[in-house]
């Protein structure tokens, strides 16, 4: 038995929710199996919540809001500091949980998933300490106040990272929360609830109810005492949440799907642009909503780019997530494995040129949700692999003849979450970035910035996460006219 499962069982957490500061027995009998993506064996079972569990958690959060919302920024910052410290101290347990529950290579969990998750808490703490909750404009005071009880719905692909990206700024703003983590990767969420309890966060400020979207997600979105829903997930899930929330006219912040372009300009350093582009597209086994899975390149150098892309893919080691040499583990669950295989077959059926990978598991794997890193080249922009979010290690290389055509291809999608542009001419880089319809644009693979607002245009959602803007999502604006110092 893997250590996070054993730890949670021994601590009596695996069969419970975290409500009002207590590990609580669920109301209903329903359970779901948590399956190892590397072995396809059942790791454990967790309970699934219902509307009654949701109501208990929401009422606890409502009671706690009266106290938490009026604490000083310094008090909340001190609480978040303890949460940050405990995540760092328990980093190895979190990393093991991520490798166990969703197949992240242990090296990548240690280097990215866990430390970046901790960064969201640190940033929330630091922004809170200096944030002006009230500013004066002449005789009017403009105040920002916590919106209230927030339902946070997080996905399976970056489990702890997405939890802290929502919980950190929500608590910093003075809100209380009910978290619904994915039932497919719940172990890291339960470990985070332990951190919250051990950090001394007051009862009811943070609550956790596991369950499915149709049951717990819908109950949270429609609950009249929930003031805001923040969801990270598929565009389909975001639409359903918004529909459930509409009758109560609550705020819905959505971070949804993507089909992000990576535009390689004619003056780009091709070896760097392609090798890092492959790495960015296939990080986390391609299971990232902002992964740049459309590589848009000059037609005149398409053959050279194909060579570079195939060579970069051949450096990847798909294998056991607990093996130190592994760079890419399995896909996170059976349903996603099936979808990726379906999309690869669709690309082949449409006659798109396959230059790397293909359907099925890599050689040597008879079980586990392992997929072959796959590249299609000379792709038309109207094909399945160029238009649909695959959420796996599948890259489409699309050629262009002019920079204007490259921009048109980049924007030829219903999504607008992230984008990349590679080149040497600074003015051209910035001009192309300004022309792309997406919430983030990365120029020449910059370092990750936890203060950079993240969110989408078009069907990639609304609202922003990370940084100051991420915290402000959890606030209401109040104008007080005739306010004199």
């Amino acid at each position: 038995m893997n250590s996070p499962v054993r730890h949670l069982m021994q601590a009596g957490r695996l069969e419970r929710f975290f409500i009002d500061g207590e590990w609580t027995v669920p109301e209903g009998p329903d359970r779901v199996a948590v399956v190892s993506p590397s072995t396809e064996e059942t790791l454990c079972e967790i309970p699934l919540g219902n509307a009654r569990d949701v109501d208990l958690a929401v009422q606890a959060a409502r009671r706690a809001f009266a106290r938490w919302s009026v604490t000083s920024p310094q008090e909340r910052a001190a609480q978040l500091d303890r949460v940050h410290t405990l995540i760092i101290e328990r980093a190895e347990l979190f990393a093991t949980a991520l490798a166990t529950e969703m197949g992240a290579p242990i090296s990548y969990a240690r280097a990215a998933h866990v430390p970046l998750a901790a960064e969201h808490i640190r940033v929330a703490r630091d922004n809170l300490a200096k944030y002006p909750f009230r500013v004066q404009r002449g005789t009017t005071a403009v105040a920002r106040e916590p919106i209230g009880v927030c339902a946070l719905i997080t996905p399976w692909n970056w489990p702890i990272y997405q939890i802290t990206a929502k919980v950190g700024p929500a608590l910093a703003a003075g809100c209380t929360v009910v978290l619904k983590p994915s039932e497919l990767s719940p172990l890291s969420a339960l470990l985070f609830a332990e951190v919250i309890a051990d950090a001394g966060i007051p009862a009811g400020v943070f609550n956790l109810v596991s369950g499915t979207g149709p049951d717990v997600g819908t109950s949270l979105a429609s609950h009249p005492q929930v003031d805001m829903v923040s969801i990270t997930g598929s565009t389909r899930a975001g639409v359903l949440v918004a529909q459930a929330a509409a009758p109560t006219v609550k705020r819905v912040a959505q971070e949804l799907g993507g089909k992000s372009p990576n535009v390689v300009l004619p003056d780009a350093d091709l070896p760097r642009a392609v090798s890092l582009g492959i790495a960015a597209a296939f990080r986390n086994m391609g299971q990232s909503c902002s992964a740049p899975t459309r590589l848009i390149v000059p037609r005149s150098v398409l053959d050279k780019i194909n060579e570079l892309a195939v060579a970069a893919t051949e450096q990847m080691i798909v294998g056991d997530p607990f093996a130190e040499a592994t760079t890419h583990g399995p896909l996170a669950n059976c349903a996603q494995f099936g979808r990726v295989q379906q999309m690869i077959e669709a690309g082949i059926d449409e006659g798109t040129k396959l230059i790397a990978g293909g359907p099925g598991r890599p050689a040597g794997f008879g079980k586990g949700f392992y997929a072959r890193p796959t590249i299609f080249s000379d792709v038309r922009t109207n094909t399945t692999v160029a238009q649909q979010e695959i959420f796996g290690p599948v890259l489409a290389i699309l050629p262009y003849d002019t920079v204007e055509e490259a921009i048109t291809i980049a924007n030829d999608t219903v999504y607008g979450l992230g984008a990349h542009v590679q080149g040497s001419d600074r003015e051209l880089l910035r001009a192309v970035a300004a022309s792309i319809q997406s919430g983030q644009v990365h120029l020449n693979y910059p370092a990750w910035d936890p203060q950079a607002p993240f969110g989408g245009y078009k069907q990639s959602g609304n609202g922003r996460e990370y940084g100051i803007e991420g915290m402000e999502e959890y606030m209401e604006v109040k104008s007080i006219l005739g306010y004199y110092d």
Side-chain angles (χ1 to χ4, degrees), residues 34-314:
V34 180
V35 175
S36 165
S38 55
T39 66
E40 301 186 48
E41 297 173 355
T42 297
L43 294 165
C44 59
E45 291 188 344
I46 62 162
L48 296 175
N50 57 27
R52 175 61 177 158
D53 297 305
V54 167
D55 187 61
L56 290 172
V58 171
Q59 295 304 329
R62 175 59 57 193
R63 291 190 299 271
F65 179 72
R67 303 183 303 274
W68 182 253
S69 62
V70 296
T71 55
S72 70
Q74 292 74 25
E75 290 177 85
R76 298 198 297 276
Q79 298 269 18
L80 288 170
D81 183 66
R82 287 195 286 274
V83 172
H84 178 260
T85 297
L86 288 175
I87 292 174
I88 297 299
E89 289 179 356
R90 300 175 188 182
E92 187 62 18
L93 185 57
F94 275 108
T96 304
L98 293 162
T100 300
E101 69 185 354
M102 53 84 62
I106 190 71
S107 58
Y108 192 64
R110 290 167 178 156
H113 279 266
V114 179
L116 298 186
E119 276 292 278
H120 286 311
I121 300 295
R122 181 195 64 79
V123 165
R125 177 200 69 193
D126 292 352
N127 287 343
L128 170 61
K130 57 188 178 183
Y131 186 77
F133 283 88
R134 190 180 69 232
V135 295
Q136 194 82 18
R137 296 181 188 169
T139 61
T140 295
V142 179
R144 290 189 179 269
E145 300 176 346
I147 196 169
V149 174
C150 299
L152 310 179
I153 300 173
T154 56
W156 47 260
N157 59 314
W158 285 84
I160 188 62
Y161 176 96
Q162 286 293 341
I163 287 171
T164 58
K166 296 183 188 297
V167 173
L171 298 192
C175 297
T176 56
V177 306
V178 180
L179 171 68
K180 189 205 89 65
S182 172
E183 70 278 14
L184 299 176
S185 52
L187 304 179
S188 53
L190 293 170
L191 294 175
F192 182 75
E194 282 193 335
V195 164
I196 290 287
D198 293 346
I201 301 294
V205 171
F206 171 91
N207 306 273
L208 182 151
V209 178
S210 297
T212 65
D215 291 328
V216 173
T218 299
S219 295
L220 281 169
S222 62
H223 200 291
Q225 293 298 309
V226 169
D227 300 292
M228 173 184 173
V229 183
S230 177
I231 175 174
T232 297
S234 68
T235 297
R236 177 181 174 276
V239 169
L240 293 173
V241 164
Q243 290 172 337
T248 50
V249 198
K250 57 172 59 77
R251 184 181 301 175
V252 179
Q254 303 168 317
E255 195 270 278
L256 307 177
K259 192 69 177 177
S260 298
N262 187 354
V263 179
V264 178
L265 294 173
D267 64 351
D269 177 345
L270 290 186
R272 182 177 189 275
V274 175
S275 63
L276 294 181
I278 295 295
F282 289 171
R283 77 185 192 278
N284 208 43
M285 207 51 175
Q287 298 168 125
S288 298
C289 49
S290 61
T293 54
R294 291 185 299 141
L295 188 63
I296 302 169
V297 305
R299 190 181 304 275
S300 60
V301 290
L302 179 59
D303 289 344
K304 176 62 175 176
I305 284 172
N306 286 346
E307 293 175 8
L308 292 168
V310 171
T313 304
E314 290 173 346

Side-chain angles (χ1 to χ4, degrees), residues 309-360:
V310 171
T313 304
E314 290 173 346
Q315 298 302 308
M316 297 177 180
I317 302 173
V318 178
D320 178 358
F322 285 97
E324 291 292 339
T326 294
T327 61
H328 293 73
L331 292 164
N333 54 70
C334 182
Q336 195 55 34
F337 177 79
R339 174 168 174 77
V340 169
Q341 298 305 311
Q342 180 185 25
M343 291 293 102
I344 294 173
E345 293 287 1
I348 294 171
D349 291 344
E350 291 178 351
T352 308
K353 182 179 181 181
L354 180 69
I355 64 171

Side-chain angles (χ1 to χ4, degrees), residues 365-401:
F365 290 92
K367 61 180 179 179
F369 306 131
Y370 295 95
R372 301 169 68 191
T374 296
I375 302 175
F376 291 97
S377 185
D378 205 6
V379 177
R380 302 182 310 278
T381 189
N382 62 348
T383 58
T384 298
V385 295
Q387 288 294 322
Q388 293 198 27
E389 182 179 42
I390 298 173
F391 225 63
V394 182
L395 176 74
I397 301 179
L398 298 93
Y400 68 84
D401 293 306

